[in-house]
Amino acid sequence: MLTELQQQLVRQCAMGKAPDDAIKTMSKFVDKKFKNAKAQAGRLVMTEEAFISSAAQKDAFNALDVEEFEIVATLDSKTSEICREQDGQHYPMSQYEIGSTAPPFHVWCRSTTCPYFNDEWSGGERAARGADGKTYYVPSNITYPEWFEKYVKEG
C-alpha cells in the first residue's frame, strides 16, 4: 500500500493532476479493511499531499532566502481550531517544522504558508467563504479570529 501511495502521489504531483485518481486507486487498498474506503483513501491522499506541498514550500522559501514564514488558514466555517489559532502566526525559517509550526497540522488540513515580511504594507485581498458557499474577499492582513468576529458574528 505504501508503494502504491508513493507512486500515486508522485504521479499526481508530476502531472499536476487532481487527487481524484489517487483517491480512487487508494480506496481499492483500504476497501477491505475500513468502512467508507473512499473517504479513508481521500483523507490519506489529501493529508500526504499537504505534507509534500509543505515540504516543497519550505525548500522554495530556503532557495529564495526567505527569513520568516506565516501561516495562512482557510477563512470558512470548516477550519479547525488549531488552524484558526495558527492563522497569521509567523516564525523564523529555522523553526519550520511540519506538523508543529507548519501545515499540515492534522488530517484534512487546508492551511498553507507564505513568506512573512515585517512591513506596514496592507494592500491586497484574501478569499473567504460564506455560509452560502460563495467566495468573497477581505483585506489580506486580517486573521481568522478577526475575520470571524467581523464577518461571521457581525454579519
Side-chain angles (χ1 to χ4, degrees):
M1 183 169 131
L2 290 175
T3 302
E4 184 62 30
L5 175 61
Q6 180 181 15
Q7 289 174 349
Q8 288 296 321
L9 290 172
V10 167
R11 188 175 305 124
Q12 180 184 339
C13 290
M15 298 175 79
K17 296 178 90 175
D20 299 351
D21 289 339
I23 291 170
K24 186 176 179 180
T25 301
M26 293 310 300
S27 67
K28 293 175 189 174
F29 285 94
V30 295
D31 192 29
K32 294 177 184 170
K33 294 194 179 231
F34 300 102
K35 293 181 180 179
N36 302 320
K38 186 172 182 181
Q40 297 291 335
R43 180 174 74 172
L44 177 66
V45 168
M46 296 304 286
T47 304
E48 288 302 311
E49 182 182 79
F51 179 91
I52 292 167
S53 179
S54 191
Q57 198 133 24
K58 179 183 179 183
D59 290 345
F61 290 171
N62 284 331
L64 294 169
D65 294 325
V66 171
E67 295 176 10
E68 292 186 51
F69 67 98
E70 181 176 350
I71 307 299
V72 181
T74 303
L75 299 179
D76 69 12
S77 63
K78 296 178 184 178
T79 300
S80 71
E81 195 62 40
I82 189 170
C83 291
R84 291 175 187 202
E85 292 172 9
Q86 284 283 354
D87 187 51
Q89 298 295 316
H90 55 92
Y91 303 94
M93 282 302 297
S94 62
Q95 292 181 13
Y96 197 111
E97 185 178 333
I98 296 172
S100 178
T101 60
F105 297 111
H106 53 81
V107 296
W108 291 111
C109 188
R110 300 172 298 149
S111 293
T112 190
T113 57
C114 68
Y116 172 79
F117 301 102
N118 189 14
D119 58 19
E120 296 296 321
W121 188 75
S122 61
E125 294 179 315
R126 162 176 195 186
R129 188 170 301 122
D132 60 1
K134 293 186 179 180
T135 301
Y136 61 95
Y137 296 90
V138 298
S140 64
N141 61 347
I142 197 169
T143 64
Y144 191 99
E146 294 167 337
W147 168 79
F148 190 83
E149 204 54 44
K150 183 174 182 177
Y151 294 93
V152 177
K153 277 189 175 179
E154 294 178 13

